[in-house]
């Protein structure tokens, strides 16, 4: 097959290599404009956190508790675009083991990881940049990206073999997380007043799923850069397993950056652009970013739960009314994804460019 984008436009620098080299000053390419730098004052929001929701309460015998919990989900999706879930059904041990396997992978010598070096054609493998454009601003992080679904894209030969357990753990973990994603799709459908399978059907019946293990090395000048620049996730929803020890994720809320305080063994769930489009902006895909620090590296596993990539995604009829006409023109996820891959993380400009009212 001919790849349209066989190579990166310039030599890829591993952020881990920069970090290990002992530099005290980070290269210009990683320095953000003053207005985009993480400001310390903003991160002192000790009291505020994204909502934490106990999913077990949705099956409670107590009907008022069920209703209250469904309302929490609905409010979180409308007002935050983000929440944490506990009692989500995924084995805590499996979560910890999978995270540990990825930690070990990123601790391997660079030469070994280079064997998995990715290219912009598919992004699968070991990578250090998200945008393809030459001279774009770079973020302080490396990652490993892989496809889990559809089956036609799953290629376990591209997944790490070190540590030994990695492939097996990733397969088990993904299977469990997909199940949780399916449950959440039903919950979202019902809380939107739709039938239980509505969103899953609007996703095309079969889903896409990929995993990105993010690794943010220590940074000598964390005030000047970001681990990931502000962006909204382009897909359906993201199920994130954050680092259990190191804070970093910030969510935009009422024009402030709120630092997420992870609850032990929880997943952080966020709405992506495709659910924002399908729900005609009832549920919001919210901007977020990642801060780095000079003391400790940080690892997170972002699992992206996406619609089938070749069907048109547009607001569902039930959520289009005279007062709220369709906000977005139809587009496939394949078409949509090209944009973010060209420019790298760029706030919410992508989903807003679809807005047919502007
Ligand atoms: C992402 C993301 C957050 C984090 O991978 O899209 O937003 O905490 N990750 O690593
Ligand atoms: Ni994200």
């Amino acid at each position: 097959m001919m790849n349209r984008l066989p190579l990166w436009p310039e030599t890829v620098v591993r952020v881990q290599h920069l970090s290990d080299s002992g530099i005290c000053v980070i290269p210009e390419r990683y320095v953000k404009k003053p207005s985009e730098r993480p400001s310390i004052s903003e991160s002192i929001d000790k009291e505020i956190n994204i909502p934490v929701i106990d999913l077990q309460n949705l099956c409670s015998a107590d009907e008022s508790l069920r209703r209250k919990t469904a309302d929490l989900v609905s409010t979180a999706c409308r007002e935050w675009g983000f929440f944490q879930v506990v009692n989500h059904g995924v084995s805590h041990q499996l979560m910890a083991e999978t995270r540990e396997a990825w930690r070990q992978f990123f601790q391997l010598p660079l030469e070994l990881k280079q064997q998995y070096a990715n290219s912009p054609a598919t992004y699968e493998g070991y990578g250090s940049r998200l945008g393809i454009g030459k001279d774009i601003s770079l973020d302080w992080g490396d990652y490993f990206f892989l496809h889990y679904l559809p089956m036609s894209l799953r290629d376990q030969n591209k997944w790490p073999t070190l540590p030994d357990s990695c492939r097996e753990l990733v397969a088990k973990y993904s299977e469990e997380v997909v199940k949780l994603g399916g449950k959440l799709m039903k919950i979202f459908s019902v809380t939107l007043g739709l039938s239980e399978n509505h969103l899953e059907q609007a996703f095309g019946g079969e889903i896409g799923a990929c995993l990105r293990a993010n690794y943010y090395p220590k940074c000598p000048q964390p005030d000047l850069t970001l681990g990931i620049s502000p962006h909204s996730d382009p897909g359906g929803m993201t199920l994130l397993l954050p680092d259990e020890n190191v804070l970093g994720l910030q969510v935009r809320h009422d024009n402030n950056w709120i630092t997420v305080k992870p609850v032990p063994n929880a997943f952080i769930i966020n709405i992506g652009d495709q659910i924002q489009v399908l729900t005609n902006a009832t549920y919001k895909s919210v901007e977020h970013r990642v801060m780095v620090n000079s003391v400790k590296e940080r690892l997170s596993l972002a699992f992206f739960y996406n619609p089938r990539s070749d069907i048109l995604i547009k607001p569902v009829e039930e959520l289009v009314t005279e007062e709220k006409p369709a906000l977005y023109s139809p587009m496939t996820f394949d078409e949509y994804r090209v944009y973010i891959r060209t420019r790298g993380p760029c706030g919410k400009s992508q989903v807003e460019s679809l807005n047919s009212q502007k």
Side-chain angles (χ1 to χ4, degrees), residues 177-358:
V177 176
V178 163
K179 277 189 213 154
L180 173 57
K183 270 195 241 173
L184 288 164
M185 290 286 279
K186 289 193 161 63
I187 297 167
F188 293 159
S189 299
V190 172
T191 53
L192 286 159
L194 305 169
S195 63
E196 197 173 69
N197 294 321
H198 202 121
L199 282 185
E200 204 77 71
Q201 274 157 14
F203 266 39
E206 56 189 69
I207 57 152
C210 19
L211 177 71
R212 187 163 71 217
N214 297 303
Y215 182 75
Y216 308 100
K218 286 181 243 182
C219 177
Q221 295 180 298
D223 306 350
L224 300 185
T225 191
L226 289 164
I228 304 188
S229 292
H231 66 283
S232 61
D233 292 346
M237 80 171 102
T238 305
L239 304 97
L240 181 86
L241 182 60
D243 196 294
E244 73 277 45
N245 303 312
V246 186
L247 298 180
L249 175 61
Q250 293 190 315
V251 173
R252 201 195 268 289
H253 185 67
D254 293 340
N255 243 352
N256 295 313
W257 287 105
I258 306 296
T259 303
V260 175
K261 290 83 179 174
V263 169
N265 298 310
F267 278 99
I268 297 169
I269 310 296
N270 66 287
I271 300 294
D273 294 345
Q274 304 308 307
I275 290 190
Q276 174 167 324
V277 169
L278 282 171
T279 65
N280 207 21
T282 306
Y283 284 2
K284 309 279 187 325
S285 168
V286 167
E287 244 185 305
H288 50 286
R289 67 181 189 184
V290 173
M291 292 193 303
V292 290
N293 71 83
S294 59
V295 187
K296 227 169 159 30
E297 65 275 11
R298 180 172 179 274
L299 179 90
S300 72
L301 305 184
F303 195 91
F304 302 109
Y305 190 100
N306 298 330
R308 229 183 107 139
S309 64
D310 58 353
I311 58 155
L312 286 174
I313 300 294
K314 58 177 197 295
V316 306
E317 265 171 42
E318 287 81 349
L319 301 173
V320 175
T321 59
E322 223 163 276
E323 304 84 68
K324 197 175 175 193
L327 289 169
Y328 308 103
S329 17
M331 190 186 270
T332 68
F333 184 46
D334 273 334
E335 290 168 321
Y336 191 84
R337 201 151 43 175
V338 169
Y339 180 103
I340 207 162
R341 291 194 168 175
T342 309
R343 297 180 26 188
C346 44
K348 291 212 58 176
S349 57
Q350 183 176 11
V351 69
E352 271 150 26
S353 73
L354 272 187
N355 192 321
S356 51
Q357 307 292 297
K358 281 189 191 155

Side-chain angles (χ1 to χ4, degrees), residues 110-177:
L110 276 176
E111 309 82 73
L112 280 179
K113 286 181 298 221
Q114 291 293 11
Q115 295 172 8
Y116 300 94
N118 74 350
S119 85
T122 67
Y123 273 76
E124 290 167 284
Y126 181 49
S128 298
R129 53 189 291 155
L130 294 172
I132 297 162
K134 194 164 166 24
D135 301 324
I136 56 166
S137 167
L138 295 177
D139 290 338
W140 195 264
D142 300 323
Y143 63 86
F144 195 103
F145 180 78
L146 60 87
H147 285 290
Y148 180 71
L149 287 175
M151 276 309 281
S152 58
L153 292 183
R154 188 187 305 177
D155 183 356
Q156 295 210 31
N157 292 320
K158 295 180 180 163
W159 301 5
T161 45
L162 280 174
D164 287 345
S165 55
C166 195
R167 282 186 186 170
E168 197 187 330
L169 282 170
V170 167
K172 267 200 223 159
Y173 178 84
S174 302
E175 189 184 341
E176 293 297 307
V177 176

